[in-house]
Amino acid sequence: MFWLKLRKVSVVVDSKHCSRIASKTWFLRTDRNLPSIAERLRVPEQALEAVALIRSAAAVVSQLEAAHWARYNLGAASGWVLLELALEGPTRPADLAASFLVTPGGMSQVIASLEKKGLVEKVRDSQDRRSLLVALTDKGRALFRKQLPELRQALEGIEEQIGKRRLEGLCTTLEDFLAALDPLSSGPE
């Protein structure tokens, strides 16, 4: 269980709430029978369940991220770009796009939104004067510092509830899962 602050209201987000969100996703809806679906599709049941759980976890995390960043009048993508810039410093827009697995056009929209709010600015690259970098403004750095205690509290709550050792195992398993997906993502050669 951990606290998530929404606007001026604090709410407790517990596993039951997250389970309710996850149960609304297609594979984990309560009216679904995964063994039957796996049999009908002729796919491995455990792989199907793993994908369903990962998609459900992603849906829950997305909703929690959206709620966190909404408190600061930002979308989740904008919030994560702020974090990246706070950690890495001024960055080329193309590198931000690659880092977040979005198109350059999509990243341009995120950057434009942050620029409009005065949180980032475009600056010339001192190494290559032809290139522009995206950098945090003082207002952007202040917002990053303001939200950090809440983010830290949420992540500490996850580690406290699940345990460091189990999270390490989960990370290892997810790394293996992503490595197994890598050949599938490249498509036919």
Side-chain angles (χ1 to χ4, degrees):
M1 182 178 319
F2 57 94
W3 290 95
L4 177 67
K5 295 183 180 190
L6 301 171
R7 305 223 189 280
K8 294 184 180 180
V9 179
S10 295
V11 296
V12 175
V13 177
D14 61 21
S15 58
K16 289 180 186 173
H17 174 76
C18 292
S19 294
R20 280 196 303 275
I21 295 169
S23 69
K24 293 177 184 175
T25 62
W26 185 86
F27 277 118
L28 294 183
R29 284 189 355 218
T30 53
D31 63 337
R32 297 279 182 204
N33 179 332
L34 280 180
S36 172
I37 292 171
E39 184 179 322
R40 286 179 28 221
L41 296 176
R42 296 184 197 163
V43 298
E45 181 182 337
Q46 286 307 128
L48 179 65
E49 184 176 10
V51 169
L53 287 169
I54 290 168
R55 289 181 59 80
S56 296
V60 171
V61 168
S62 291
Q63 288 192 8
L64 295 175
E65 287 174 350
H68 172 76
W69 291 112
R71 177 170 163 73
Y72 301 98
N73 197 30
L74 293 175
S78 295
W80 288 111
V81 167
L82 278 186
L83 284 174
E84 177 76 8
L85 293 172
L87 295 171
E88 299 300 325
T91 306
R92 291 177 344 129
D95 293 339
L96 286 170
S99 178
F100 289 97
L101 303 175
V102 298
T103 64
M107 183 54 65
S108 291
Q109 290 177 339
V110 171
I111 292 167
S113 171
L114 289 168
E115 229 177 347
K116 188 175 179 181
K117 293 175 182 181
L119 300 173
V120 301
E121 62 185 347
K122 291 179 182 164
V123 297
R124 290 269 169 220
D125 184 344
S126 62
Q127 305 297 317
D128 179 0
R129 301 294 297 163
R130 297 169 296 165
S131 296
L132 288 176
L133 300 174
V134 179
L136 287 178
T137 61
D138 289 341
K139 184 177 175 182
R141 277 187 287 284
L143 180 61
F144 169 76
R145 286 190 299 273
K146 182 178 179 182
Q147 68 77 42
L148 191 56
E150 289 180 33
L151 181 62
R152 185 179 295 124
Q153 184 179 14
L155 293 173
E156 287 170 350
I158 291 169
E159 186 171 290
E160 183 180 302
Q161 186 173 3
I162 296 173
K164 187 174 182 177
R165 190 168 285 151
R166 287 179 64 203
L167 284 173
E168 287 170 354
L170 175 62
C171 289
T172 299
T173 301
L174 288 172
E175 287 168 355
D176 292 345
F177 186 83
L178 289 171
L181 292 178
D182 191 45
L184 300 174
S185 67
S186 61
E189 294 184 18

